[in-house]
């Protein structure tokens, strides 16, 4: 079992203490029940007492049975509350940690696998906390109490119980180790299968277009069959464990019965003592047998816990901040990058330096275009501003204050960002626009849509702003998705904007209309545009060109065209691309 999982007991120590109390009380009631039953049978069948004389014993016996039933029910309720408490706490911590890691740190993970871990993985811990832990308490206490009473009553029978118990525990350990290996493999396959299913669903349009969906059916069938075989191997080990424990407990009980029977035959032990010990022997081994069953039921808990704590142990970039309040609702001061470097490291340990000693100034109220080839470091620079990652060397200063001293949530409220592929969630158009400001009124949402020139289109829909757009905006065109993302920006009204070619998916006419709205909106705001079109470079205050993680050109477009050969080559490449985009349909 994952040792880290045991640390979660600190959240449920009261529940665990109650479980231990229930187990100890259960052990005592088992002994009382056996004693009452022994006295009743001994009195009626051997001492010739009338049935009326043992009615009080039988009444007490019924009370003990009812008491045991109440204890079992109470133990189940307490265990369920304990499991719910741990799962709720762990799920919140895991979700908060995943959010803190951010999109850059999670870019190597598969969404389906993360979803399985967050939902099914945490839920799999229920068996450990609601079944395994209570049974461990019962196994530690009940056999000890019964064994002590048996040893004090009949030392020879107590010695047999003492000898056979370690043998059963050894078998349980050996088979449990084998089961753990198979269960980890099963959990890994389940996570991979979930991730593959999600990949197939998200790429279904592409698969259908290229006629590859039938191949995915074969792949899913193969993965499912592999998962079935692995599950069956886990069940085989579980059944083997049950067989061994049942057989071992039965033989041990039979051994006690044989030695008691032989001694009873030769009058070496009273009947009442022999019958009392014989009644207690099965209850002595029962917690051990049940523990084996609960252990296999909780094996998924160990496998899922390993993955959960791997995610929780993934280091988060330091987001420490001082207690000094940051002034919100004011113009963005000058932002300075001072010798900033950042290096990515993949799972194999290979490194790729994205930024190398970058020094850059984003003047207050300026519009700056960031250009460069793919992999030059543009997105890394934007992620640093968004604080998805932190500089490994150098510092970013906002006004006179280092960025790292500003609370991250406060800082992100000062930024509006439009990625090249905005994400739309399943819901209404109004809900998706309101992401820009969760407290916005309907009037503010409509005003933002009008600024993005999306209002007329929305009005033409059957349900207007309540129209459901589907996951990732499946019912909208690329240009409509981009304008909806623009509406979010207008609604947020942040002093710092990061735009990854916000008009990339618009036709020429719509682009001109939106650009006019943007020009009005960008006044007195600090704006960083990751540009991919030449005409964008002509309309900004400055252009910064990155090449292999370094700033190789910085200044107005006209001056760079006259002085920088690298910038000239890049501008020519942009011009050729735009010429190809504008070719009539069918011309190659």
């Amino acid at each position: 079992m994952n040792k880290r999982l045991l640390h979660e007991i600190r959240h449920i120590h009261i529940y665990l203490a109650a479980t231990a109390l229930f187990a100890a009380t259960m052990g005592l009631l088992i002994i009382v029940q056996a004693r009452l039953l022994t006295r009743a049978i001994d009195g009626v069948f051997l001492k010739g007492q009338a049935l009326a004389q043992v009615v009080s014993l039988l009444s007490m016996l019924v009370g003990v049975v009812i008491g045991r039933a109440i204890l079992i029910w109470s133990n189940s309720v307490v265990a369920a509350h304990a499991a719910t408490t741990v799962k709720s706490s762990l799920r919140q911590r895991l979700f908060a940690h995943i959010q803190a890691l951010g999109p850059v740190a999670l870019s190597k993970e598969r969404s389906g696998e993360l979803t399985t871990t967050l939902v099914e993985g945490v839920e799999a811990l229920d068996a450990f906390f609601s079944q395994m832990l209570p049974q461990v308490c019962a196994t530690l206490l009940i056999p000890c109490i019964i064994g002590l009473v048996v040893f004090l009553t009949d030392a020879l029978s107590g010695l047999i119980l003492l000898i056979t118990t370690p043998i059963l525990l050894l078998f349980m350990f050996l088979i449990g180790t084998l089961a753990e290996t198979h269960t980890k493999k099963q959990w890994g396959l389940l996570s991979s299968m979930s991730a593959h299913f999600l990949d197939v669903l998200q790429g279904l349009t592409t698969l259908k277009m290229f006629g590859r969906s039938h191949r995915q059916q074969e792949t899913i069938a193969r993965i499912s069959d592999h998962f079935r075989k692995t599950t069956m191997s886990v069940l085989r080990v579980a059944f083997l464990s049950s067989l061994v424990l049942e057989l071992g407990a039965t033989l041990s009980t039979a051994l006690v019965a044989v030695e008691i029977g032989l001694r009873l035959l030769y009058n070496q032990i009273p009947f009442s003592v022999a019958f009392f010990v014989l009644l207690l022997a099965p209850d002595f081994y029962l917690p051990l047998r049940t523990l084996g069953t609960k252990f296999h039921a909780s094996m998924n808990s160990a496998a899922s816990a390993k993955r959960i704590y791997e995610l929780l142990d993934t280091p988060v970039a330091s987001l420490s901040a001082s207690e000094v309040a940051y002034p919100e609702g004011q113009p963005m001061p000058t932002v300075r990058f001072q010798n900033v470097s950042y290096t990515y490291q993949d799972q194999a340990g290979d490194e790729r330096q994205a930024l190398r000693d970058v020094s850059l100034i984003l003047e207050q109220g300026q519009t700056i275009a960031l250009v460069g080839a793919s992999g030059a470091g543009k997105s890394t620079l934007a992620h640093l501003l968004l604080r998805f990652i932190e500089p490994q060397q150098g510092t970013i200063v906002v006004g006179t204050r280092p960025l790292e001293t500003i609370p991250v949530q406060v800082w992100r409220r000062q930024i509006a960002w439009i990625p090249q592929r905005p994400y739309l969630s399943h819901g209404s158009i109004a809900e998706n626009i309101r992401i820009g400001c969760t407290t916005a009124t309907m009037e503010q949402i409509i005003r933002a849509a009008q600024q993005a020139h999306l209002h007329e289109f929305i009005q033409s829909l059957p349900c207007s702003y309540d129209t459901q757009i589907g996951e990732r905006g499946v019912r909208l065109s690329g240009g409509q998705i981009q304008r909806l993302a623009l509406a979010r920006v207008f609604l947020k009204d942040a002093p710092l904007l990061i735009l990854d070619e916000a008009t990339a998916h618009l036709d020429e006419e719509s682009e001109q209309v939106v650009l006019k709205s943007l020009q009005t909106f960008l006044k007195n705001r600090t704006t960083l545009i990751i540009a991919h079109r030449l005409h964008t470079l002509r309309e900004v205050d400055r252009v910064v060109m990155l090449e292999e993680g370094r700033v190789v050109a910085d200044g107005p477009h006209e001056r760079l065209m006259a002085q920088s050969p690298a910038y000239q080559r890049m501008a020519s490449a942009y011009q050729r691309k735009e010429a190809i985009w504008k070719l009539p349909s069918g011309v190659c």
Side-chain angles (χ1 to χ4, degrees):
M1 180 58 64
N2 192 300
K3 293 181 180 179
R4 294 280 300 279
L5 199 56
L6 297 176
H7 294 166
E8 302 298 329
I9 292 176
R10 67 184 185 276
H11 299 296
I12 56 168
H13 59 277
I14 296 177
Y15 296 115
L16 200 60
T19 299
L21 179 62
F22 292 152
T25 308
M26 180 70 74
L28 294 175
L29 287 181
I30 289 173
I31 293 169
V32 172
Q33 178 181 311
R35 178 61 68 186
L36 291 173
L37 191 59
T38 299
R39 288 179 58 187
I41 292 176
D42 184 59
V44 172
F45 289 98
L46 294 184
K47 295 181 180 178
Q49 294 179 352
L51 190 60
Q53 293 178 284
V54 294
V55 168
S56 60
L57 292 177
L58 295 176
S59 300
M60 293 172 62
L61 184 62
V62 171
V64 169
V65 172
I66 293 174
R68 287 184 63 180
I70 292 174
L71 280 177
I72 293 172
W73 175 79
S74 301
N75 192 49
S76 300
V77 171
V78 168
H81 277 292
T84 302
T85 300
V86 172
K87 288 188 298 179
S88 177
S89 171
L90 197 57
R91 185 174 281 119
Q92 289 177 12
R93 283 161 49 200
L94 182 58
F95 186 69
H97 191 78
I98 287 175
Q99 284 188 313
L101 285 173
V104 177
L106 295 175
S107 59
K108 301 169 188 174
E109 303 287 349
R110 302 180 71 179
S111 302
E113 195 273 338
L114 285 176
T115 303
T116 300
T117 301
L118 191 59
V119 180
E120 297 295 335
V122 175
E123 197 61 36
L125 302 180
D126 184 272
F128 177 76
F129 289 100
S130 68
Q131 300 180 40
M132 183 67 179
L133 270 185
Q135 190 57 42
V136 168
C137 292
T139 304
L140 288 175
L141 293 173
I142 294 177
C144 290
I145 294 172
I146 295 176
L148 179 62
V149 171
V150 170
F151 197 84
L152 294 175
T153 305
D154 182 43
L156 181 59
S157 298
L159 187 62
I160 293 175
L161 296 180
L162 187 64
I163 293 173
T164 54
T165 301
I167 299 174
L168 288 176
L169 292 175
L170 177 62
F171 282 127
M172 187 186 303
F173 171 76
L174 293 175
I175 298 176
T177 303
L178 178 63
E180 185 177 10
T181 303
H182 286 282
T183 305
K184 286 181 179 179
K185 184 179 179 182
Q186 180 198 28
W187 180 258
L189 281 172
L190 176 62
S191 298
S192 299
M193 185 167 63
S194 299
H196 186 75
F197 282 173
L198 183 61
D199 290 344
V200 170
L201 287 175
Q202 290 179 338
L204 191 59
T205 303
T206 303
L207 292 171
K208 294 293 289 184
M209 184 178 68
F210 286 97
R212 307 295 290 178
S213 56
H214 66 283
R215 294 296 300 273
Q216 289 301 322
Q217 292 176 3
E218 297 171 2
T219 303
I220 289 173
R222 184 171 64 253
I223 295 174
S224 300
D225 189 59
H226 192 190
F227 180 72
R228 177 187 63 81
K229 291 178 180 177
T230 305
T231 302
M232 294 306 296
S233 68
V234 173
L235 291 176
R236 280 196 296 270
V237 175
F239 290 146
L240 174 64
S241 174
S242 298
L243 173 63
V244 171
L245 290 176
E246 290 289 342
L247 185 60
T250 302
L251 291 176
S252 300
T253 305
L255 188 62
V256 174
V258 168
E259 64 89 8
I260 286 177
L262 290 174
R263 292 164 62 202
L264 190 62
L265 184 62
Y266 292 101
N267 293 320
Q268 294 181 359
I269 184 173
F271 171 80
S272 59
V273 173
F275 192 63
F276 177 64
V277 171
L278 192 60
L279 285 175
L280 289 178
D283 284 315
F284 175 85
Y285 293 110
L286 180 61
L288 294 173
R289 290 156 48 195
T290 307
L291 180 64
T293 304
K294 302 300 184 184
F295 175 78
H296 287 286
S298 66
M299 287 304 299
N300 273 339
S301 302
S304 63
K306 182 176 182 294
R307 177 56 179 149
I308 287 171
Y309 286 108
E310 281 178 359
L311 286 171
L312 288 175
D313 289 339
T314 304
V316 177
S318 175
L319 297 176
S320 60
S322 66
E323 297 298 324
V324 181
Y326 181 81
E328 299 185 54
Q330 297 182 11
M332 177 62 59
T334 299
V335 180
R336 293 178 176 85
F337 285 73
Q338 298 176 348
N339 303 112
V340 172
S341 297
Y342 191 85
T343 301
Y344 291 101
Q345 187 173 28
D346 60 20
Q347 294 176 340
D350 297 330
E351 294 184 346
R352 179 180 68 84
Q353 192 162 9
L355 294 177
R356 308 166 188 262
D357 296 321
V358 170
S359 293
L360 173 65
I361 299 176
L362 306 182
E363 294 284 357
Q364 179 181 348
Q366 270 195 348
T367 300
I368 300 120
L370 191 63
V371 298
S374 178
K378 303 187 299 296
S379 296
T380 302
L381 195 144
H383 289 156
L384 285 167
L385 267 180
L386 292 162
R387 297 194 73 182
F388 293 155
I389 53 179
E390 296 291 307
Q392 294 168 340
Q393 294 179 8
T395 186
I396 302 173
V397 180
V398 181
T400 59
R401 184 173 176 178
L403 179 58
E404 63 185 15
T405 66
I406 302 173
V408 63
Q409 296 304 328
V410 173
W411 171 248
R412 286 178 184 159
R413 286 200 291 269
Q414 312 305 306
I415 304 176
W417 176 47
I418 299 183
Q420 198 168 9
R421 295 179 179 83
Y423 181 82
L424 303 184
S425 60
H426 180 79
S428 69
I429 291 178
E431 290 169 344
N432 274 276
I433 296 177
R434 191 176 274 117
I435 290 176
C437 178
T438 55
T439 59
T441 63
M442 198 63 209
E443 290 75 15
Q444 292 172 319
I445 291 173
I446 293 173
R447 193 180 308 118
Q450 288 172 338
Q451 287 179 282
H453 296 274
L454 191 64
H455 178 68
E456 291 183 5
F457 164 73
I458 296 173
Q459 291 279 49
S460 68
L461 298 173
C463 299
S464 187
Y465 283 84
D466 293 326
T467 302
Q468 301 292 308
I469 58 176
E471 188 176 4
R472 295 181 180 271
V474 68
R475 295 184 176 90
L476 302 180
S477 68
Q480 289 162 352
I481 291 174
Q482 203 74 9
R483 276 185 280 177
L484 195 151
L486 275 170
R488 289 175 178 171
V489 169
F490 293 138
L491 185 63
K492 188 170 186 180
D493 195 22
L496 174 60
L497 272 63
I498 301 176
L499 309 177
D500 191 351
E501 199 61 77
T503 60
H505 299 289
L506 302 180
D507 58 76
E508 193 170 350
E509 182 180 351
S510 300
E511 181 184 19
Q512 294 302 320
V513 174
V514 171
L515 282 175
K516 287 182 181 179
S517 299
L518 271 175
Q519 286 171 0
T520 304
F521 185 74
L522 296 183
K523 288 181 180 178
N524 300 320
R525 299 176 196 273
T526 305
T527 307
L528 181 66
I529 301 177
I530 300 177
H532 302 88
R533 294 188 180 181
L534 187 60
H535 68 79
T536 304
L537 308 182
R538 299 190 183 103
E539 296 168 359
V540 299
D541 299 315
R542 282 169 49 213
V543 181
V544 176
M545 181 178 176
L546 291 175
E547 194 172 87
E548 295 182 353
R550 292 188 175 90
V551 176
V552 296
D554 185 353
H557 169 71
E558 292 77 10
R559 179 161 63 82
L560 294 182
M561 284 295 291
Q563 298 177 1
S564 173
Y567 185 79
Q568 292 169 7
R569 290 192 297 271
M570 184 216 64
S572 297
Y574 277 20
Q575 193 170 18
R576 286 195 298 271
K577 287 180 182 178
E578 289 186 11
I580 293 173
W581 291 335
K582 293 180 180 180
L583 286 175
S585 177
V587 178
C588 182

